[in-house]
Amino acid sequence: EQLKQLGRVDVPAVLVGVDKLSDYPATFRFLGKVLGKAERGEKLAKYIETTSTKLAKAVSMIPAKDKIRVYYAESMDGLTSQCGEADRAEVIRLAGAVNALACSDLPPATAVPADIESSNVTAGMETLLKINPDVIVTRFPATTDLINNDPRWAKLNAVKAHKVYPIPSLPFNWFDRPPSFMRVMGAQWLANKLYPAAYPINLEKETHDFYQLFFQVDLDKAAINKLLNKTS
């Protein structure tokens, strides 16, 4: 319909499901057939299936009482997020953690979108103090600096414990915006941060191998450190 509006009815189009990470194996296999790259599509699909299964098995061993509560600071000021079971906060669940912001935590005056699975919400400082997350992950590195240096955030357990982490974001965000197959790396990154004993992978090697497979680039140590927001 959008192509028709542009007057381009001659352009062939397909629609693929990419709302959740679990959609991607079938999507890559389908695209492999459509584009005449079935072998490559199968390799990408297999990576996501194998890795997702390995991660799910590892985090399933974490008792409910030990699951870490994570707040996703999506906007530059850190106050926009995803609540509850939103698809855009899927990485938190895949990593074996709990979204610290339940939709019921929002003040009555806050308009919670009807399509909460794909829409963001605004959490004020009062709400953040109430939910007091164990860990905060930020979409932007600048937000990490803001949170760590703004006295309004200083009372939060995550800030006190120095557990505010910028999400890797190259070539695009590993978490959201856009929500993509990069979530398979985001979930591994977060699980390794939160539960290093339960998911003790070599994240540098995993990152190198992932980028070699999906983007056909051979990253050196400096590039991997940049991706993972490491200083050295």
Side-chain angles (χ1 to χ4, degrees):
E1 290 301 315
Q2 291 174 328
L3 287 170
K4 286 179 182 178
Q5 293 173 14
L6 296 172
R8 295 302 305 274
V9 294
D10 58 319
V11 178
V14 295
L15 179 65
V16 295
V18 294
D19 290 336
K20 297 184 178 182
L21 183 61
S22 59
D23 293 333
Y24 275 90
T27 292
F28 278 129
R29 289 186 175 105
F30 172 70
L31 290 175
K33 292 178 181 178
V34 170
L35 301 173
K37 300 284 185 179
E39 183 178 352
R40 176 156 174 76
E42 182 63 25
K43 286 181 179 179
L44 303 182
K46 275 291 186 186
Y47 176 89
I48 292 178
E49 285 178 338
T50 301
T51 303
S52 297
T53 298
K54 179 180 70 173
L55 176 58
K57 182 178 180 180
V59 301
S60 70
M61 305 302 290
I62 301 167
K65 66 180 179 61
D66 295 332
K67 287 184 179 291
I68 294 172
R69 299 167 58 256
V70 177
Y71 172 74
Y72 171 34
E74 184 176 1
S75 58
M76 190 67 76
D77 66 3
L79 297 178
T80 298
S81 186
Q82 304 290 327
C83 66
E85 298 295 302
D87 286 348
R88 288 184 176 272
E90 181 185 28
V91 169
I92 294 174
R93 298 190 297 278
L94 293 174
V98 175
N99 189 346
L101 182 64
C103 297
S104 58
D105 292 323
L106 297 169
T110 301
V112 178
D115 184 14
I116 193 59
E117 293 184 351
S118 61
S119 301
N120 54 11
V121 294
T122 300
M125 284 306 305
E126 184 176 346
T127 297
L128 285 168
L129 289 169
K130 173 187 173 184
I131 64 173
N132 202 9
D134 305 311
V135 168
I136 297 172
V137 292
T138 68
R139 182 182 170 198
F140 304 105
T143 306
T144 300
D145 294 335
L146 180 152
I147 291 172
N148 284 328
N149 293 289
D150 188 328
R152 295 180 304 164
W153 295 77
K155 294 181 180 179
L156 299 181
N157 287 340
V159 180
K160 291 177 183 178
H162 307 289
K163 293 184 177 180
V164 184
Y165 308 121
I167 299 164
S169 59
L170 294 173
F172 36 90
N173 197 273
W174 288 17
F175 205 94
D176 184 19
R177 306 295 177 186
S180 72
F181 59 88
M182 296 303 296
R183 284 176 284 188
V184 74
M185 283 305 300
Q188 293 188 87
W189 166 81
L190 185 58
N192 184 247
K193 283 273 190 193
L194 301 179
Y195 312 109
Y199 200 67
I201 63 167
N202 182 331
L203 191 60
E204 290 79 5
K205 182 180 185 303
E206 194 72 30
T207 300
H208 175 274
D209 293 349
F210 177 88
Y211 276 71
Q212 193 167 57
L213 174 61
F214 279 77
F215 301 114
Q216 301 179 34
V217 295
D218 187 13
L219 299 177
D220 59 20
K221 184 177 180 179
I224 292 171
N225 285 341
K226 182 178 181 180
L227 278 167
L228 299 177
N229 297 304
K230 291 189 173 184
T231 56
S232 60

